[in-house]
Amino acid sequence: MVATTIAHLNKLKANGEKIASITAYDATFAKLFAACGMDFMLVGDSLGNVIQGASSTVPVTTDDIAYHTRCVRNGAPHAFVIADMPFMSYATPEQAYANAAQLMQAGANMVKLEGGDWLVETIQGLFQRGIPVCAHLGLLPQSVNVLGGYKVQGREQSAAQRTLEHALTLQQAGAQLLVLECVPVELAAQITAQLDIPVIGIGAGKETDGQILVMHDMLGLNTDYLPKFVKNFMHDADSIEAAVTAYIKAVKQQTFPAAEHIFK
């Protein structure tokens, strides 16, 4: 199996081909996702919710992410793997360098940070030190206590403009990928069109360059609450492999997300 790289993801964007991605936390699922043709996997701090049973991502530590990154890498040696940098692990550039190095040494190809232009110096420093960065704008789960809950971001014109400006600034700083979470579809389309780097949406419509879902949501395992932007692909599948394949196909053919999964 040929290893996926950021150059490959850039080529998909340039060719107008959609990127399919998913969270992964262990070797078994990572191996299955890779075999099905997933473009990349994210070792998300969502493991705090779906693995550890916490009410938010805040309790997750860098050691937690490093452990699960190692597991995913062992299951999918050639996959493109992004590791989340958890809450307060990049409060200063120096913190970010040390913690990102730990995640890269655990097997990540890239690290993901939540936040806007306050991260410029950190992203520049990581890039200069050979650590690729995925930025994350829109709904920021690590900031849920400041945001007052899990709410759609960027509906007001000023907030939308600010999000666009942050996206452009982070790209200029060296970010090579961007995740947009829970933003109106028009804003997501505008940002995707203006950025040269791939933009991956979750609750951001299908005009982004690709999609990502938490694997437990995509497989219908989250019985407590199913976000509007999620589709249970196990509903019409007779196996997990079939559900994963259906998800990738739906992203590639742009049948997911559908109208009922987007925010306006």
Side-chain angles (χ1 to χ4, degrees):
M1 183 181 295
V2 178
T4 301
T5 63
I6 188 62
H8 174 69
L9 299 178
N10 286 332
K11 185 177 179 180
L12 291 177
K13 177 183 175 84
N15 292 340
E17 300 177 40
K18 297 298 182 180
I19 298 166
S21 58
I22 197 166
T23 63
Y25 314 98
D26 64 35
T28 301
F29 274 101
K31 183 177 181 180
L32 185 150
F33 294 152
C36 290
M38 199 71 69
D39 291 312
F40 75 80
M41 300 174 218
L42 169 68
V43 182
D45 58 3
S46 49
L47 68 87
N49 305 96
V50 299
I51 302 294
Q52 298 174 340
S55 60
S56 75
T57 64
V58 171
V60 177
T61 67
T62 303
D63 285 343
D64 291 335
I65 298 289
Y67 170 81
H68 288 278
T69 298
R70 208 169 281 114
C71 293
V72 168
R73 175 55 69 205
N74 289 340
H78 304 293
F80 192 83
V81 177
I82 302 175
D84 257 338
M85 295 195 66
F87 179 71
M88 288 299 289
S89 67
Y90 49 99
T92 66
E94 290 71 24
Q95 265 189 313
Y97 304 155
N99 289 320
Q102 181 181 350
L103 298 182
M104 295 294 286
Q105 290 169 339
N109 299 104
M110 175 180 275
V111 298
K112 182 167 76 64
L113 293 72
E114 296 182 10
D117 55 8
W118 69 273
L119 285 170
V120 165
E121 181 184 353
T122 297
I123 292 173
Q124 288 174 334
L126 288 169
F127 183 81
Q128 291 166 353
R129 288 160 177 78
I131 299 177
V133 173
C134 173
H136 184 149
L137 293 171
L139 175 62
L140 308 177
Q142 292 176 13
S143 301
V144 64
N145 292 307
V146 173
L147 297 174
Y150 297 95
K151 303 175 181 179
V152 179
Q153 303 295 307
R155 276 184 165 147
E156 301 81 11
Q157 185 175 354
S158 59
Q161 181 63 30
R162 187 163 59 248
T163 303
L164 172 59
E165 290 171 356
H166 284 176
L168 291 166
T169 299
L170 296 178
Q171 175 181 257
Q172 186 175 14
Q176 294 177 281
L177 204 67
L178 172 67
V179 169
L180 273 183
E181 181 168 358
C182 290
V183 301
V185 61
E186 289 187 8
L187 173 59
Q190 184 181 13
I191 291 173
T192 303
Q194 293 202 34
L195 262 59
D196 298 321
I197 62 175
V199 177
I200 309 300
I202 176 167
K206 64 180 180 182
E207 298 303 317
T208 54
D209 298 306
Q211 302 295 324
I212 190 165
L213 286 177
V214 172
M215 57 166 280
H216 294 71
D217 291 341
M218 188 274 291
L219 294 173
L221 298 176
N222 187 350
T223 57
D224 296 330
Y225 169 69
L226 198 64
K228 173 185 173 71
F229 54 79
V230 170
K231 178 179 178 179
N232 175 7
F233 282 87
M234 275 299 296
H235 184 73
D236 297 315
D238 57 10
S239 70
I240 292 175
E241 184 177 6
V244 173
T245 301
Y247 165 63
I248 295 172
K249 182 179 179 181
V251 171
K252 299 287 187 182
Q253 296 184 351
Q254 301 185 54
T255 59
F256 175 81
E260 63 266 26
H261 304 120
I262 68 172
F263 301 104
K264 296 182 178 179

